Amino acid sequence: MRQVQRSLQLETRGKGLYDISAQVQKLIADSGIVSGLCTLFIQHTSASLLIQENADVEVQRDLERWFTRLVVDGDAIFRHTDEGPDDMTAHVRSALTQTSIGVPVIEGRAALGTWQAVYVWEHRLAPHTRRVLLTLIGD
């Protein structure tokens, strides 16, 4: 059994879902691991990771609209606004979603379903640089 660690960096343009599946697949393929587990971890408290449908962009838009209704930017309940009215909102969104996910590796590829993709979900309004760590364990 081997273990390989890699990272990928993503420049976001603000709120939304960013498909990182191709980068993840490339890092897995380059690792030489054929069978095992890929764990992804985002090193931020205002963005998260998500496995979601990649066929209809309205799924992503609906998720964003639902979260906008659930956690409102500038809500008076929030006191932590050091970086603007979306600061605490982004932290809440991150707390309600995931900062780490695991994906099986089969035949040297992430075993995603037909309509699945791995996304970084940016919760801030402004562009940010996001870093995702991958740990691969397997043969």
Side-chain angles (χ1 to χ4, degrees), residues 65-85:
R65 282 189 288 266
W66 180 77
F67 247 61
T68 297
R69 182 185 296 170
L70 182 66
V71 187
V72 179
D73 288 333
D75 192 320
I77 195 172
F78 299 131
R79 299 288 183 252
H80 175 74
T81 57
D82 294 349
E83 297 176 40

Side-chain angles (χ1 to χ4, degrees), residues 41-53:
F41 175 77
I42 191 162
Q43 292 185 300
H44 304 279
T45 60
S46 56
S48 55
L49 295 170
L50 185 69
I51 294 178
Q52 195 47 257
E53 179 177 323

Side-chain angles (χ1 to χ4, degrees), residues 120-137:
V120 167
W121 196 351
E122 176 62 67
H123 301 305
R124 298 300 308 271
L125 293 169
H128 282 79
T129 301
R130 301 302 188 180
R131 185 173 148 144
V132 177
L133 302 179
L134 282 77
T135 300
L136 293 137
I137 299 173

